[in-house]
Amino acid sequence: MRSQWECLLQNVGEWQGSFTRFSPQGELLEDTPTVVSLEGIDNNQTMRQIIRRTLPDQTVNEKVLQYSTLGKQILFFENGAFSQGSIQLAPYSEFGAEHGLIAGDRRLRLVQLFDKTGNLNRITLIREKLPNATTPERPVLKVEDLVGEWHGEAVTRYPDGRAVDTYPTKLRVEKTSDSQLVQHLSIIQQGSQHTISSTGKISGSVLSFETGSQWNQVLLLPDGASAASPQHVRIGQAFFLELGWLMQSDRRQRIIRRYNEKGEWYSLTLVTETKVS
């Protein structure tokens, strides 16, 4: 098994792309061309990260970071997928996370930020490719792309360092009308199966799911991406933040960062799933 540092090194390269900002309702607000370069130096003992953004007036803003250790707020998986962000939801402070998925010569990242009152405030989708990439960008995700039965494997890591969990998953998504979606998620852990069913409203590129007193929303985004989160986070209610990526018509990855009812980050899960029907 790779160390966390070795998992980080799966991200080495010059990633060319853009930071695309959306409103919480999925409206495109701005698109900024970017190049993010990750280079292992000192025999890969140190990571040098250079972020170049081309601003609307064509000036280039450059930021250089260098680090040789990883903080408690970030976890990686074997293939380089990761999530970093707030360890604890706190009153009157901003809260959020960044997630990253990798598939060959392309990378997809998502930043979800909440304001000081706990409302979803800012969503940034970052689509990136290596200089000689041949894999085309995916179209905007549609509800029809998700409909069907998906079989997958989930790998869960914990920030407290306990053993990794690996278990099978099944997800069935049905479109019951033009405005309604039903999904059934089954998880098989320690010999027992748990199924969670939820019904969602379809409104353009936004899917809304009511879970108890909490509304979760899924935004359907360019490059086969989806961003899932509550519209509002608060202490006293467990919640999750998720980036999904339809990399091929029958293959999808999802990375899920979960928080408990105390607002503490307690797990990170990577699901790799294949559509079987």
Side-chain angles (χ1 to χ4, degrees):
M1 190 179 283
R2 288 179 171 139
S3 69
Q4 284 290 290
W5 189 262
E6 287 166 335
C7 294
L8 162 68
L9 291 173
Q10 306 309 303
N11 287 268
V12 163
E14 183 181 87
W15 297 96
Q16 303 168 350
S18 63
F19 284 38
T20 311
R21 195 156 69 85
F22 294 89
S23 74
Q25 296 75 39
E27 300 152 335
L28 196 156
L29 301 177
E30 65 179 8
D31 190 60
T32 306
T34 54
V35 178
V36 176
S37 160
L38 289 141
E39 180 192 4
I41 57 175
D42 301 336
N43 233 356
N44 283 338
Q45 298 303 301
T46 299
M47 180 66 81
R48 178 182 288 150
Q49 185 173 340
I50 303 171
I51 303 157
R52 292 188 192 91
R53 305 200 311 170
T54 305
L55 303 178
D57 63 4
Q58 297 307 302
T59 59
V60 176
N61 177 301
E62 184 174 286
K63 185 177 181 181
V64 181
L65 304 170
Q66 208 156 291
Y67 46 93
S68 49
T69 58
L70 294 170
K72 292 179 180 175
Q73 79 284 0
I74 189 166
L75 277 177
F76 285 87
F77 291 93
E78 296 276 309
N79 67 350
F82 69 91
S83 175
Q84 65 176 332
S86 305
I87 293 174
Q88 172 74 55
L89 173 64
Y92 314 114
S93 60
E94 291 182 342
F95 171 87
E98 173 194 349
H99 323 286
L101 294 169
I102 294 186
D105 53 18
R106 296 193 78 93
R107 196 165 76 140
L108 186 75
R109 294 187 287 139
L110 176 76
V111 179
Q112 295 163 305
L113 293 176
F114 295 78
D115 65 21
K116 292 178 180 180
T117 63
N119 290 318
L120 181 62
N121 181 40
R122 205 168 186 173
I123 295 154
T124 304
L125 183 70
I126 305 158
R127 292 163 282 167
E128 299 170 310
K129 60 182 182 179
L130 293 172
N132 298 317
T134 55
T135 310
E137 185 173 312
R138 300 284 305 173
V140 174
L141 191 66
K142 301 194 299 290
V143 170
E144 288 71 23
D145 295 326
L146 302 176
V147 170
E149 182 154 332
W150 299 81
H151 289 185
E153 181 185 72
V155 180
T156 296
R157 290 185 178 270
Y158 300 93
D160 62 9
R162 79 184 99 143
V164 173
D165 277 339
T166 304
Y167 47 93
T169 62
K170 282 183 188 175
L171 175 65
R172 195 168 82 253
V173 180
E174 301 164 24
K175 188 178 178 185
T176 50
S177 73
D178 286 344
S179 61
Q180 186 170 282
L181 191 74
V182 177
Q183 59 178 26
H184 309 278
L185 174 65
S186 299
I187 295 168
I188 303 151
Q189 266 182 306
Q190 290 152 0
S192 62
Q193 180 168 312
H194 312 278
T195 300
I196 303 157
S197 297
S198 52
T199 302
K201 292 179 187 170
I202 304 168
S203 176
S205 62
V206 183
L207 313 178
S208 304
F209 293 88
E210 190 174 7
T211 314
S213 61
Q214 187 181 63
W215 279 94
N216 285 316
Q217 71 169 32
V218 180
L219 286 182
L220 307 180
L221 297 169
D223 200 12
S226 58
S229 73
Q231 295 166 339
H232 179 83
V233 292
R234 62 180 175 86
I235 290 173
Q237 193 156 42
F239 61 92
F240 67 91
L241 309 176
E242 176 183 304
L243 166 64
W245 192 13
L246 186 73
M247 299 172 296
Q248 297 165 16
S249 60
D250 61 349
R251 189 166 169 80
R252 192 167 176 237
Q253 277 191 4
R254 294 184 291 125
I255 191 163
I256 306 141
R257 188 178 179 101
R258 296 187 186 278
Y259 290 81
N260 63 21
E261 60 283 346
K262 294 178 185 172
E264 300 163 340
W265 175 38
Y266 77 91
S267 73
L268 184 67
T269 299
L270 179 66
V271 182
T272 304
E273 48 199 2
T274 303
K275 190 187 275 196
V276 295
S277 66

